[in-house]
Amino acid sequence: MASVTIQAVRKNFGETPILHGVDIDIHDGSFTVLVGPSGCGKSTLLRMIAGLEHITDGEIRIGERRVNELQPKQRDIAMVFQNYALYPHMTVRENMAFALQMAKQDKATIETKVARAAEILALDALLDRYPRQLSGGQRQRVAMGRAIVRDPQVFLFDEPLSNLDAKLRVAMRSEIKELHQRLKTTSIYVTHDQIEAMTMGDKIVVMRDGRIEQAGSPLELYDNPANQFVAGFIGSPAMNFLPGTLRRAGDAAFVELPDGTRLDAPARTSGADGQPIVFGTRPEHLTLADTGGIAARVVVMEPTGMDTFVACRHEGIDLSAVFRERHDFAPGSTIHLLPDLQRSHLFDAGTGARLVA
């Protein structure tokens, strides 16, 4: 196992900059998730760590070794790809053993490592099958087994679950997390799915347009987003945003929405009187009131059994609310929503930065 240090890393494709000086410290034995929308540079960064992409500028170290100039096979990493990358003409056993055979390891060692990986991933009964005879989840476990037998310092995962159906993705998330807890190998995982990021990572790095927006634990990003982008990206359903103006009168502060609605400002809020802001509150942090709060017209009701999801609209702005109780609002009816001010946020309307006193 080893730490991974990324310092001022830049990547250009021709004259086009893709990564703009990325700095990340990944601790030994941790599970770090790089998350962000398509095109943000997360997969490019992973491929640079693996040695599959040239580093334009900056430095990457695995443990104490600078690896910028090292070939992928010299970096002591193992990568699990989105498309499994299994050899179709080889059995599961042969696929898992191939890298060890190329490394000239003896037969007994190969058999021991393959058997151990097969036991960890419950592949014992599948060792003599070919990839075409396996389900998507089984193929993904074989790809992980091929990585495990190499006993690398670092595991790299490039959106490994994106080809699986929703139910299998949930199961595989648990399998990968359990695998990490068992092996304790430093892991870097790339995904665009923030649910995967929240449920799997010790540390989440949120990226946008080749830059890091925020890095921290899942709950740190959920509770204290640095800006409006992170607040909207982390959490499902997404945070609600309402444009308004910050008003101050002595020690009191409140938010005035365009229709004249007034909401108390969240505690510990900075910002000047008259400043254009965006008020952010999560769907699960809204409660019902008889009057006051945010008057919203119900558009769609989605009962899930455990929760009731309500899509509604306030002055042309879409809002979401999630209630643990069961409700049966008629479409077109008006409900009043009170935000939890201890869990709400204000963002600067121009920069998107969270306003914190």
Side-chain angles (χ1 to χ4, degrees):
M1 295 184 290
S3 61
V4 177
T5 305
I6 300 165
Q7 292 184 330
V9 166
R10 298 179 181 274
K11 175 64 179 178
N12 297 340
F13 287 121
E15 297 298 318
T16 304
I18 303 299
L19 294 175
H20 308 269
V22 172
D23 293 284
I24 309 173
D25 286 322
I26 297 171
H27 297 150
D28 185 6
S30 67
F31 195 114
T32 298
V33 180
L34 308 180
V35 67
S38 297
C40 71
K42 57 188 183 297
S43 288
T44 298
L45 179 57
L46 193 77
R47 290 173 62 84
M48 292 166 73
I49 297 170
L52 302 176
E53 292 282 358
H54 172 70
I55 300 170
T56 302
D57 197 16
E59 182 176 82
I60 295 177
R61 294 200 307 273
I62 297 177
E64 298 300 319
R65 289 197 308 164
R66 171 187 164 101
V67 298
N68 289 38
E69 293 79 23
L70 296 182
Q71 295 296 314
K73 64 182 180 181
Q74 299 173 306
R75 299 190 181 202
D76 200 7
I77 56 94
M79 192 162 181
V80 179
F81 294 92
Q82 176 180 341
N83 61 357
Y84 319 134
L86 302 178
Y87 297 108
H89 62 288
M90 294 184 182
T91 64
V92 169
R93 187 192 312 276
E94 291 166 342
N95 265 283
M96 292 171 64
F98 184 72
L100 302 179
Q101 292 170 344
M102 292 296 98
K104 307 296 185 184
Q105 296 199 16
D106 63 83
K107 186 176 180 180
T109 299
I110 293 173
E111 288 179 354
T112 299
K113 289 186 175 183
V114 169
R116 171 176 172 268
E119 179 186 3
I120 290 172
L121 296 167
L123 293 171
D124 309 70
L126 306 177
L127 288 174
D128 294 320
R129 293 190 188 182
Y130 290 90
R132 64 180 179 274
Q133 298 171 304
L134 306 177
S135 68
Q138 290 168 338
R139 292 179 193 178
Q140 192 55 271
R141 292 212 304 273
V142 175
M144 289 163 55
R146 190 173 54 186
I148 290 171
V149 296
R150 297 177 60 184
D151 195 21
Q153 292 194 77
V154 181
F155 284 131
L156 304 178
F157 296 89
D158 189 9
E159 304 205 45
L161 308 184
S162 58
N163 289 336
L164 305 179
D165 63 54
K167 186 175 181 179
L168 193 51
R169 287 180 72 138
V170 173
M172 288 301 297
R173 284 205 312 256
S174 297
E175 287 195 24
I176 292 175
K177 189 167 184 176
E178 184 181 1
L179 176 67
H180 176 258
Q181 292 170 347
R182 182 169 179 174
L183 300 179
K184 301 189 184 303
T185 302
T186 306
S187 300
I188 306 173
Y189 188 103
V190 160
T191 182
H192 63 273
D193 185 333
Q194 57 91 21
I195 295 296
E196 282 184 21
M198 288 288 290
T199 55
M200 297 176 70
D202 305 323
K203 178 179 181 179
I204 298 176
V205 179
V206 180
M207 298 182 65
R208 177 173 63 159
D209 297 334
R211 293 182 171 87
I212 294 175
E213 293 289 327
Q214 189 176 358
S217 70
L219 292 182
E220 181 182 348
L221 270 60
Y222 178 85
D223 291 332
N224 300 296
N227 54 46
Q228 189 177 342
F229 175 80
V230 174
F233 195 85
I234 297 295
S236 181
M239 183 179 285
N240 297 305
F241 296 116
L242 291 162
T245 304
L246 180 63
R247 301 296 186 190
R248 291 192 178 277
D251 293 334
F254 62 90
V255 173
E256 186 175 41
L257 303 182
D259 69 331
T261 297
R262 291 189 173 188
L263 302 170
D264 289 336
R268 302 178 303 281
T269 294
S270 64
D273 180 49
Q275 180 175 348
I277 55 86
V278 174
F279 182 88
T281 184
R282 296 195 182 278
E284 58 270 33
H285 297 158
L286 292 168
T287 56
L288 285 171
D290 293 331
T291 60
I294 305 166
R297 181 173 57 85
V298 174
V299 178
V300 173
M301 290 276 297
E302 296 181 359
T304 64
M306 181 176 66
D307 297 316
T308 302
F309 176 86
V310 183
C312 45
R313 194 165 289 137
H314 171 83
E315 297 295 321
I317 298 172
D318 290 333
L319 298 175
S320 302
V322 176
F323 305 112
R324 297 308 301 265
E325 307 85 8
R326 296 186 178 185
H327 297 283
D328 189 19
F329 304 123
S333 62
T334 297
I335 59 175
H336 295 266
L337 302 171
L338 287 178
D340 182 345
L341 297 180
Q342 297 299 317
R343 297 178 173 183
S344 299
H345 308 282
L346 292 191
F347 304 95
D348 181 88
T351 66
R354 184 162 65 102
L355 300 175
V356 184

